[in-house]
Amino acid sequence: MTNKLKDITKSEVFTGVLLIIATIVSLIIANSRFGQVYNNFFTYPIIGEFNVHLIINDFLMAIFFLFVGLEIKHEILYGRLSSFKKASFPIIAAIGGVLLPAIIFTIINLGTPFSDGIGIPISTDIAFVVGIFMILENKLNPLLKIFLLSLAVVDDLISILVIGVLYSSNINVWCLLIAMIILLILFAMARNKIDNITIYLLVGLVLWFFIYYSGVHATISGVLLASAIPSKKFKKSKESMLNRLVHKLAPICNLFILPLFALCNTGIVLDLNENFSLDHTLVLGIIAGLVVGKPLGIMLFTWVATKLKITEKPKGVDWLSVLSVSILAGIGFTMSIFVSEIAFKGNHELINLSKISILLSAVISIIITYIVATMINFYKKKEPNKSNLQK
C-alpha cells in the first residue's frame, strides 16, 4: 500500500464516506429483489443462538466499545478531558445535548408504547460527524474540531451508561458476579504490570461471555475491559499498552466493524404505503430530539454556563461557529441505530421506523449545517465589523 493510500484510509473523511457507502448499498439491496437474500444472510445461524446480525451487534460492537472506551480513558487521563478548564465546555455541551433530546422525546411520547426509545436521540456518531466536519471544513471553524471530538466522546460515555442502565434486563446475578471477579483479575494484571495485549484480550473474551449471559448488554464488556488496560508505559515498552491497542483497533473499527455494522443495520425497506399515523410520535420524537434538541441543548447549556462563569468558550471561537457544529451533532447514526435495535428488540416494524427517522435526522442535520455555515460565512465577509452575534 502506497503512503498516499495509507493516508487516505486513515483520514476521518474516508471513514465517513465508507459509512455513507455502506448505508446506500444496504438500502439498495434491501429494497431490491435481493432483499430476502440480504435478510437471510444476516439472520443465518452460526453457533447456537448467534446469527451474523447478533455477532456483529453484540460481539464486534463490543470491540468497537473497547476502542471507544480506550479513547475516553486516554482523553480523561492525558487529553482534552484531563482538566476542568479543558473539559468543562464540551462536557456541559454534551450534557445539554443529551438531556434536551431526551426531554423532547419523552414529552412527545409520554403515555405511548415508544417510551423505551428515549436513548435513541441522545447520541452523536463520532466517526460520521467528524467525517462530515472534514468534508465541510472550509465552511466550519477548524478550532471547533477538538470541541466536537470532546463532545462526542462525552456523549458516547453517557450513551454507554444509558445502555447499561436502561437496556439491561433479566439480570443473572451469578454471571454478573463472575464478570466482576474477572474484571478484578484484569485490574490485578495491570497492577502487576503484565504487558501482553493477547492475554488481556483473552481474559476480556471470558468477561464478554459472562456479561452477555448476565443480562447486561454485552457491549459494556468492551468499556469494562478498556478501564483495566494499563495506560502507563512499562520499562521494556516503547509505548503504553493503551496506545498500542488503540493503534491496532483504529483501522479494524473504522474500516471494518463500523461499515459492516452500517451494512447490517441500515437495510431498511422503504415502504411508501406504510401507515405512519399510528407511530408518528416515535418518528417526531427521534427527529425533533436529534435535529432540534441536540443543537438547542448544546447551545443553551454552554451559553448559560459561560454567563454563570462555570466555563468559558474556546479562544478564537464565536457563538455562530458553535451553532453550526452543534447542528452537526444531530447525526446520531451508529449509536442511535444501535440503541434502536436494543430498545425495540423483536419489533421489526418499530426498529425499521426508528432507523428511517435516524437517517432522515442525519440528512436534515447535514443540510442545515451546510446552509447555516454558508450563511454565517457570508455574513462575516459582508459585515466584518459587526460582531455582536458572534461574541
Side-chain angles (χ1 to χ4, degrees):
M1 189 183 287
T2 64
N3 289 333
K4 190 173 181 180
L5 190 58
K6 283 182 180 178
D7 290 339
I8 291 170
T9 55
K10 286 180 181 178
S11 72
E12 290 118 338
V13 175
F14 187 75
T15 303
V17 169
L18 264 184
L19 283 171
I20 293 169
I21 291 171
T23 302
I24 292 170
V25 168
S26 67
L27 283 169
I28 291 171
I29 295 172
N31 290 276
S32 71
R33 59 194 178 95
F34 299 106
Q36 194 57 48
V37 176
Y38 169 92
N39 289 326
N40 290 341
F41 173 77
F42 286 112
T43 55
Y44 186 81
I46 304 295
I47 304 172
E49 65 186 272
F50 293 97
N51 55 31
V52 177
H53 181 269
L54 201 61
I55 288 171
I56 292 169
N57 282 28
D58 282 53
F59 181 69
L60 292 184
M61 284 302 285
I63 297 172
F64 171 70
F65 273 54
L66 167 61
F67 175 63
V68 171
L70 291 170
E71 288 196 319
I72 291 170
K73 185 174 181 176
H74 181 270
E75 293 302 331
I76 291 171
L77 293 175
Y78 311 111
R80 295 178 286 263
L81 305 177
S82 59
S83 69
F84 182 77
K85 188 176 180 181
K86 288 180 182 179
S88 57
F89 195 78
I91 285 176
I92 291 166
I95 292 169
V98 166
L99 284 179
L100 212 60
I103 290 167
I104 289 171
F105 183 90
T106 302
I107 291 170
I108 293 172
N109 287 281
L110 204 61
T112 71
F114 317 126
S115 56
D116 284 349
I118 188 173
I120 298 172
I122 69 172
S123 306
T124 296
D125 187 307
I126 295 179
F128 211 140
V129 166
V130 175
I132 299 299
F133 183 94
M134 297 307 293
I135 291 170
L136 301 175
E137 64 179 334
N138 63 327
K139 294 185 178 295
L140 300 170
N141 188 331
L143 296 174
L144 280 169
K145 183 186 173 185
I146 293 173
F147 162 71
L148 186 62
L149 278 166
S150 304
L151 182 153
V153 165
V154 178
D155 190 289
D156 268 4
L157 181 57
I158 297 170
S159 297
I160 289 164
L161 291 173
V162 168
I163 290 168
V165 174
L166 292 185
Y167 300 118
S168 299
S169 58
N170 300 320
I171 302 297
N172 184 316
V173 178
W174 285 108
C175 283
L176 195 59
L177 185 62
I178 294 169
M180 292 304 101
I181 292 169
I182 294 166
L183 184 61
L184 289 175
I185 291 169
L186 284 163
F187 278 112
M189 287 165 57
R191 189 176 179 82
N192 286 283
K193 299 182 179 180
I194 294 174
D195 191 19
N196 188 311
I197 290 175
T198 305
I199 293 174
Y200 281 88
L201 293 179
L202 287 173
V203 178
L205 184 62
V206 180
L207 176 68
W208 176 89
F209 177 85
F210 283 102
I211 290 286
Y212 178 84
Y213 284 104
S214 73
V216 176
H217 201 273
T219 49
I220 301 301
S221 61
V223 182
L224 294 175
L225 175 58
S227 69
I229 297 294
S231 58
K232 291 181 180 179
K233 187 175 70 172
F234 298 139
K235 286 182 180 180
K236 294 180 181 180
S237 305
K238 293 181 180 178
E239 204 175 10
S240 71
M241 188 187 295
L242 188 150
N243 288 338
R244 296 198 319 264
L245 194 51
V246 164
H247 294 152
K248 288 178 184 294
L249 290 177
I252 295 170
C253 291
N254 293 334
L255 305 180
F256 174 67
I257 293 177
L258 285 179
L260 187 61
F261 174 85
L263 193 66
C264 170
N265 290 281
T266 56
I268 306 160
V269 178
L270 303 173
D271 187 1
L272 297 176
N273 296 317
E274 190 171 347
N275 184 9
F276 292 99
S277 59
L278 297 174
D279 308 322
H280 70 282
T281 56
L282 174 62
V283 176
L284 185 60
I286 293 172
I287 294 176
L290 286 168
V291 177
V292 179
K294 270 284 178 187
L296 193 58
I298 291 167
M299 292 299 293
L300 182 63
F301 272 58
T302 51
W303 185 81
V304 170
T306 52
K307 291 299 177 185
L308 295 174
K309 307 293 183 184
I310 297 171
T311 187
E312 58 182 35
K313 184 163 48 67
K315 291 179 181 178
V317 171
D318 54 65
W319 284 113
L320 288 175
S321 299
V322 175
L323 174 63
S324 3
V325 171
S326 300
I327 297 166
L328 199 59
I331 303 174
F333 202 71
T334 305
M335 287 298 285
S336 293
I337 289 172
F338 184 67
V339 172
S340 70
E341 287 273 346
I342 305 169
F344 302 123
K345 190 175 182 179
N347 193 324
H348 180 72
E349 185 182 338
L350 291 185
I351 292 172
N352 203 52
L353 207 56
S354 298
K355 289 177 182 179
I356 292 172
S357 307
I358 293 161
L359 291 178
L360 278 173
S361 300
V363 172
I364 293 167
S365 295
I366 293 168
I367 292 170
I368 295 175
T369 301
Y370 180 84
I371 293 169
V372 169
T374 303
M375 289 174 68
I376 289 170
N377 285 337
F378 178 77
Y379 167 78
K380 287 179 180 177
K381 287 176 184 177
K382 191 175 180 182
E383 304 287 349
N385 297 320
K386 293 183 179 180
S387 56
N388 292 333
L389 278 176
Q390 296 176 38
K391 295 180 181 177

